[in-house]
Amino acid sequence: MSSTRVLVLNSGSSSVKYQLIDMRDGSRLAAGLVERIGEQTSRLIHTHVADGDTREQNGPIADHEAALKAVAAELGRDGLGLDSPELAAIGHRVVHGGMFFTEPTLVDENVLTEIERLIPVAPLHNPANLTGIRTARALRPDLPQVAVFDTAFHTTMPESAARYAIDPKIADRYRVRRYGFHGTSHAYVSRETARLLGKDPSEVNVIVLHLGNGASASAVEGGRCVDTSMGLTPLEGLVMGTRSGDLDPAVIFHLERVGGMSTDEIDTFLNKRSGLFGLCGDNDMREIRRRVDEGDERARLAFDIYIHRLKKYIGAYYAVLGRVDAVAFTAGVGENSAPVREAAVAGLEGLGLAVDGELNAVRGDEARLISPADARVAVAVVPTDEEMEIATQTYALVNGSGNLT
Ligand code: ADP
C-alpha cells in the first residue's frame, strides 16, 4: 500500500489544529481542533469528513502530549490512526525559522536544537511548535516529521529589504532583521494567483495582501519574495486586528518616559490592544463595517486608517517590483470584505488597478478575478490554504520531489 496521507499539525501555546490530507487528490479526510489545553475546560472537536461526523470531547486535557494522544485516538476511531501504513509523514507548522531554515526541513535532533535556539526571537510560538513536534515524534518515532516555517518564503528577500538601518554588528549579535511571517500563505497564494492567470509563477509579479486578524503584505517577483511587511516580529507593517503595525519607534520611548508604562505593558498594548481594536473597540471587520454603515465616526476612522496603510504598502510594493501583474487579496478580511478590497484600490487607476463592482460583490470559495476585463493589473481574491501548503511541501520533501507547481 502506498503512503499518500499527510497529517498537518499546527501547535499553538494552548491549542492544536490538525488536518489529515490525502495527497493523491488533496482531499481532507479528517480535521479538528483541541483548545484550552492545560485548563479544566479543554475541548476537542473532530470531524471525519467521509461520513460528515463531528464529535466533541469536553474536559481537562493537561498538556500537548495528552492532546495529541486524544487526536490520535479520534483518528484511530475513524480507521485513520497514526499507525496507518498510508500515513507518509507529519508536517508541522513552525512560526520562526530565522535565517537558518530556508525550506521545509526533515526533523532530527539538530533541527530541534536550532528551533530551540530561535526561542528568544519567537518566545510565544516556537516553544509550542517544538512541543508538538517532540510529542508527535514520541508517538511515531519511525515516521518522517517535517517542519514547515512561516519565515522560510521570505528568506529570499535581498539584504536591502531584510536589514534595518542599524549597525550590522549589533543586528547580527542579537539576530535583529526583518524575517516576515505568514510565509506559507504568501507562497501558496502567489502560486495560485499565477495559476489563475494561466502563467508559471516564474513569469509573474504579485503583491499578496494577507488580511486576517494578523495581516501582512508581500512583494513576490517571479515566485520569490523580495519584500514583506512584517519584520523581526509580526508587529511591523499593516494595521491589524489588535496590532498597531508601523509606528515611529520613538513612540515606545515616549510611552515609557512620559506615559510611565513598562516594556511589558507597551508590548501588550501594541500587540493586543492596538490596531482596529485600539482605534474603535472592535477587531472584526464585519462589525466595523456595520458600524460604519450606521454612521459611527470611530469605526469610520479605524477603517480609513486601515485602508490608508494598505494603500501605502500597495504603492510601495509596486515601486519595489517595478512591474505588477496581479494584486491578490486573501485571509478572513481579504477573502470576505468587498468594501476593504474596493477601498484599497480606489484611486489607483493610474497604476492600472481597479475592481469591477459586480465581480467584487460575488462571494465564493474559489480563486477569482475581480478587476475589469481590460485592466492592466489583475486584482484577485485567492482563498489561502496554509494546511494544504504545509501538506504539499511535506509530501514533496518525503517523496524527494521539490516541484510544487
Ligand atoms: P487569523 O487566521 O489571523 O486569526 P482569519 O484569516 O481567520 O484570521 O481572519 C479573521 C478575520 O476575518 C476576522 O477578525 C474578521 O475581521 C474577518 N472576517 C471574517 N469573515 C468576514 C466577513 N464575512 N466580512 C468581513 N470580514 C470578515
Side-chain angles (χ1 to χ4, degrees):
M1 190 183 293
S2 63
S3 307
T4 58
R5 295 176 183 166
V6 173
L7 178 65
V8 177
L9 285 181
N10 181 353
S11 306
S13 56
S14 65
S15 70
V16 174
K17 293 184 201 144
Y18 61 95
Q19 284 193 9
L20 181 67
I21 301 178
D22 190 332
M23 299 312 294
R24 282 174 304 188
D25 58 2
S27 59
R28 261 82 173 168
L29 303 173
L33 161 73
V34 188
E35 55 189 356
R36 298 193 289 276
I37 295 171
E39 296 179 32
Q40 290 302 310
T41 56
S42 315
R43 180 162 72 146
L44 188 161
I45 301 174
H46 173 90
T47 301
H48 180 213
V49 175
D51 56 16
D53 184 20
T54 294
R55 301 190 290 270
E56 191 173 323
Q57 261 182 52
N58 290 288
I61 295 180
D63 51 25
H64 281 73
E65 187 178 341
L68 274 189
K69 283 187 173 154
V71 170
E74 286 300 328
L75 289 167
R77 281 176 67 185
D78 298 331
L80 301 168
L82 295 193
D83 52 356
S84 159
E86 287 166 275
L87 189 60
I90 300 182
H92 297 268
R93 173 183 185 217
V94 181
V95 167
H96 215 310
M99 288 173 69
F100 190 80
F101 295 109
T102 58
E103 316 187 303
T105 305
L106 202 57
V107 172
D108 60 18
E109 279 307 318
N110 291 336
V111 168
L112 290 174
T113 306
E114 195 55 37
I115 297 174
E116 201 158 10
R117 283 186 54 211
L118 288 163
I119 287 178
V121 281
L124 295 179
H125 295 106
N126 276 25
N129 301 157
L130 269 172
T131 309
I133 300 176
R134 289 210 166 99
T135 309
R137 284 185 99 206
L139 288 175
R140 270 297 304 269
D142 54 316
L143 194 69
Q145 314 256 345
V146 176
V148 178
F149 301 90
D150 273 15
T151 47
F153 185 61
H154 304 304
T155 55
T156 52
M157 281 196 290
E159 289 288 278
S160 53
R163 281 203 178 266
Y164 293 109
I166 60 172
D167 181 344
K169 284 200 294 298
I170 302 282
D172 292 347
R173 187 180 311 152
Y174 298 111
R175 301 190 190 210
V176 174
R177 63 187 280 122
R178 307 190 56 257
Y179 296 100
F181 297 89
H182 291 147
T184 316
S185 175
H186 287 284
Y188 178 84
V189 171
S190 57
R191 243 187 14 253
E192 286 301 305
T193 306
R195 200 196 301 272
L196 182 68
L197 300 180
K199 301 238 169 89
D200 189 83
S202 64
E203 298 170 331
V204 294
N205 293 348
V206 186
I207 297 173
V208 178
L209 303 170
H210 177 110
L211 311 177
N213 202 21
S216 63
S218 69
V220 183
E221 185 176 59
R224 290 164 64 85
C225 178
V226 293
D227 206 350
T228 194
S229 60
M230 285 178 166
L232 172 74
T233 77
L235 184 56
E236 191 179 343
L238 300 174
V239 175
M240 310 181 210
T242 64
R243 295 191 195 115
S244 63
D246 293 337
L247 38 73
D248 179 346
V251 169
I252 295 164
F253 319 139
H254 186 79
L255 290 176
E256 202 168 320
R257 290 191 190 118
V258 180
M261 291 167 77
S262 70
T263 307
D264 284 347
E265 280 167 352
I266 298 171
D267 191 334
T268 305
F269 176 66
L270 295 178
N271 275 292
K272 303 236 162 78
R273 290 195 279 115
S274 296
L276 292 169
F277 175 78
L279 285 164
C280 75
D282 270 310
N283 60 337
D284 191 312
M285 191 52 80
R286 284 164 288 203
E287 186 57 19
I288 291 168
R289 281 308 309 176
R290 196 188 57 71
R291 287 172 55 187
V292 170
D293 291 341
E294 285 176 353
D296 183 316
E297 284 303 317
R298 274 180 75 202
R300 173 88 247 168
L301 180 63
F303 185 78
D304 289 349
I305 294 171
Y306 183 93
I307 295 296
H308 179 74
R309 185 82 52 84
L310 198 50
K311 214 174 248 192
K312 281 199 340 195
Y313 269 92
I314 294 173
Y317 289 172
Y318 210 116
V320 165
L321 291 168
R323 186 201 86 222
V324 176
D325 299 294
V327 173
F329 287 89
T330 194
V333 177
E335 291 167 31
N336 295 299
S337 180
V340 165
R341 296 191 297 255
E342 185 188 331
V345 301
L348 301 185
E349 296 80 7
L351 298 178
L353 280 164
V355 299
D356 175 291
E358 268 178 41
L359 293 175
N360 191 32
V362 174
R363 303 189 60 86
D365 299 334
E366 299 290 317
R368 57 197 184 274
L369 291 174
I370 57 169
S371 42
D374 59 351
R376 236 183 325 132
V377 178
V379 181
V381 179
V382 180
T384 193
D385 193 339
E386 288 165 278
E387 289 77 15
M388 184 59 75
E389 181 66 20
I390 292 171
T392 305
Q393 293 193 13
T394 298
Y395 196 59
L397 181 67
V398 298
N399 272 327
S401 137
N403 184 9
L404 299 178
T405 53

